[in-house]
Amino acid sequence: MPPTSNAADVMSDGETDRAVLDTLLRVLPEFDVRSFEARKGSPGFISHRVWAAIKRESPDLVLDIEEHYAQENPHLPEGPRTLLHEYVEAGKLGRKTSEGFYRYDS
């Protein structure tokens, strides 16, 4: 199910020149990209569109991100990380191994 419109999240790393952000927010719509500014950083911030793609492609990468996020937020539920550990330990690494949350034909 492809998205019906293009979108981009624009966020500073805390040191980005404001003019760069303003330029992106102004120019992206010229390319039919709807832009959204994340005004405050957050550990683990990632757009839902990117997250969905990463989950399918690379459970080991998702696990690394989740482990880092859990260090910042110790009250997160452990269930998702437990499931990811099972997949990674079983060698189910998405497209890299042709199996993960989905099976991939080579």
Side-chain angles (χ1 to χ4, degrees):
M1 184 172 107
T4 58
S5 65
N6 294 317
D9 298 308
V10 177
M11 184 173 91
S12 169
D13 67 354
E15 297 181 20
T16 307
D17 187 310
R18 182 70 225 178
V20 171
L21 299 173
D22 291 339
T23 298
L24 285 169
L25 293 168
R26 185 185 75 251
V27 171
L28 286 171
E30 294 175 17
F31 296 94
D32 197 28
V33 176
R34 189 169 178 194
S35 58
F36 301 91
E37 182 176 2
R39 296 187 184 267
K40 180 180 174 190
S42 170
F45 173 83
I46 189 165
S47 80
H48 293 287
R49 293 173 297 283
V50 172
W51 190 248
I54 291 173
K55 280 194 303 189
R56 283 194 314 273
E57 303 295 327
S58 185
D60 53 329
L61 177 59
V62 175
L63 178 58
D64 287 344
I65 293 168
E66 287 293 323
E67 293 288 15
H68 174 76
Y69 196 42
Q71 288 175 357
E72 299 287 327
N73 300 284
H75 302 293
L76 289 178
E78 292 183 26
R81 290 190 315 279
T82 299
L83 177 65
L84 288 165
H85 274 289
E86 290 172 7
Y87 273 76
V88 170
E89 289 168 9
K92 296 180 178 184
L93 306 178
R95 288 201 187 270
K96 290 183 258 185
T97 60
S98 298
E99 185 177 7
F101 292 108
Y102 301 93
R103 289 183 155 268
Y104 301 95
D105 295 328
S106 298

